[in-house]
Amino acid sequence: MPGFETIGKEEKDHVNEILETGILMRYNFDNQRNNHWKAKEWEEAIQDKIQIRHAHLTSSGTTALITAVKALGIGAGDEIILPTFTFVASVEALIFCNVIPVFADVDETLTLSPESVLKAISPRTKAIMPVHMCGGMADLDQLNQIAKANDLYLIEDACQSIGGKFQNQYLGTIGDVGCFSFDFVKTITSGEGGAVLTQDSSIYEYAHQFSDHGHDHLGNDRGAEKHPTLGLNFRISELQAAVGLAQWHKLDEILSQQRKIKSIIKNELLQFPEIQFRKYPDPSGDNGSFLSIFLTDETMTRKVVENLKSEGIPCAYWYDNHWHYIKKWDHFKHLKNDETYFAEFRDLLPDYENQDFSISDQIISRTITFPISLKINEITAKELGKKITEIIINQYNKK
Ligand SMILES: *Cc1c(COP(=O)(O)O)cnc(C)c1O
């Protein structure tokens, strides 16, 4: 997820244009802004690139998700099905909207298992929210079919998979609504930022209004605008948009570089048949930002992770991670006892603590993920791949 590795002159130039006019706000001040509309320009660039009718920028991926849920009219006591493996923001967004998060297991795609989704559907279910983790994608064919058959919305959390595709369509553009994050560690960064993506103009109308206190954005007198809906301030600033616009133009370059580096590392790992690889419903659509492997069992995986860390090789073991896997989300599991939430809401929450996620556990406990850096060249990538393979083989030989 290395957008920040490419920050340079282009970002500075766009930011300086904004600082010269002094107009840091994305709306209004038409006379003073010397025709700089960075947020608007970036939205148009996103629309053109990923072929979506509407892209609306927000202050973060989290606020994009909240906006998406609200825009679909999903709220009090409704359920949304999402995977056990995601960044905790997906869950936070639902809670904030008074929506009950219902977890389904992940499979070897590291995303929602369609089979598990089918089991999680209830009369309260309003949407399925696949999370395209670590540059890859969920099986949108199957999930779309399930959504259609059960009259549910499909919300794509594409925060981690900017530029990835499924069957030639960009991730985030396939469901009813999609969301991007441009936080500091994402494929494209604006420091902080997010986007709501949709083909539906009424969802878009709601999204731009809701994320700016309900402003209808008609005319050029902000104070005289009407407020068709109650909203919040989830706006992006022109400073962030200036950075993001510069970053956006680097997307193809970033994708091709990380795909190349990833395939070099993967080629080395292919030498040892005990290593299994994450499955991609559409391998050509992988954005290439991470390489994920499965080893045979948890004990072996833990030992290998320990050895990788002691050799200074960056990798993630999600099973112990506090932010990305349900196992460590005690703060969230204890929500039932938090009296700042309405009792009615708390009563509807499932007993997460005692739910059985052993299918996910069996996958995640064997998963190791390597981030792909843009800063390494083909030679060091090959060396890195060799080194990882050697560490794994050594550990297997000790068995
Ligand atoms: C980063 C991320 C978010 C939230 O984005 P922020 O911009 O950090 O608020 C949501 N979902 C997933 C899967 C993410 O990786």
Side-chain angles (χ1 to χ4, degrees), residues 123-322:
R124 287 184 179 275
T125 312
K126 287 289 179 337
I128 304 171
M129 186 162 103
V131 183
H132 305 305
M133 285 300 276
C134 307
M137 77 296 294
D139 188 334
L140 290 173
D141 242 357
Q142 287 199 56
L143 294 175
N144 240 334
Q145 277 176 34
I146 296 172
K148 293 247 150 62
N150 293 277
D151 202 15
L152 305 173
Y153 290 116
L154 195 70
I155 304 171
E156 287 179 84
D157 180 340
C159 289
Q160 293 197 9
S161 289
I162 300 168
K165 288 183 182 177
F166 179 73
Q167 295 175 355
N168 275 325
Q169 276 181 283
Y170 279 96
L171 299 173
T173 68
I174 296 162
D176 297 284
V177 196
C179 295
F180 283 160
S181 162
F182 305 112
D183 80 21
F184 188 59
V185 294
K186 298 303 204 273
T187 303
I188 294 294
T189 185
S190 54
E192 302 287 355
V196 178
L197 315 163
T198 184
Q199 306 287 9
D200 183 314
S201 50
S202 62
I203 291 175
Y204 166 70
E205 286 300 322
Y206 184 92
H208 75 76
Q209 292 168 359
F210 175 76
S211 53
D212 183 21
H213 305 292
H215 273 269
D216 65 8
H217 299 133
L218 297 174
N220 57 10
D221 179 358
R222 200 167 156 79
E225 285 179 19
K226 299 220 167 65
H227 35 70
T229 183
L230 193 67
L232 283 161
N233 177 4
F234 288 170
R235 289 188 308 261
I236 196 158
S237 82
E238 284 289 275
L239 282 174
Q240 292 160 306
V243 174
L245 177 62
Q247 283 266 299
W248 188 256
H249 292 306
K250 299 177 179 180
L251 180 59
D252 282 340
E253 204 182 309
I254 290 173
L255 294 178
S256 78
Q257 175 68 4
Q258 62 192 14
R259 284 173 178 146
K260 183 172 76 190
I261 296 299
K262 175 174 173 174
S263 80
I264 293 170
I265 299 172
K266 185 175 174 184
N267 265 336
E268 294 304 319
L269 270 62
L270 280 167
Q271 308 301 317
F272 187 55
E274 299 282 353
I275 303 174
Q276 290 181 352
F277 295 89
R278 172 189 187 177
K279 294 202 165 64
Y280 291 85
D282 179 359
S284 65
D286 173 21
N287 99 347
S289 49
F290 289 94
L291 171 63
S292 294
I293 61 167
F294 306 116
L295 298 180
T296 26
D297 59 72
E298 177 181 341
T299 313
M300 175 57 75
T301 311
R302 283 186 180 281
K303 284 187 180 143
V304 166
V305 169
E306 219 171 273
N307 298 342
L308 288 165
K309 295 229 155 121
S310 70
E311 294 285 333
I313 295 173
C315 65
Y317 184 56
W318 306 115
Y319 200 50
D320 283 347
N321 183 291
H322 287 263

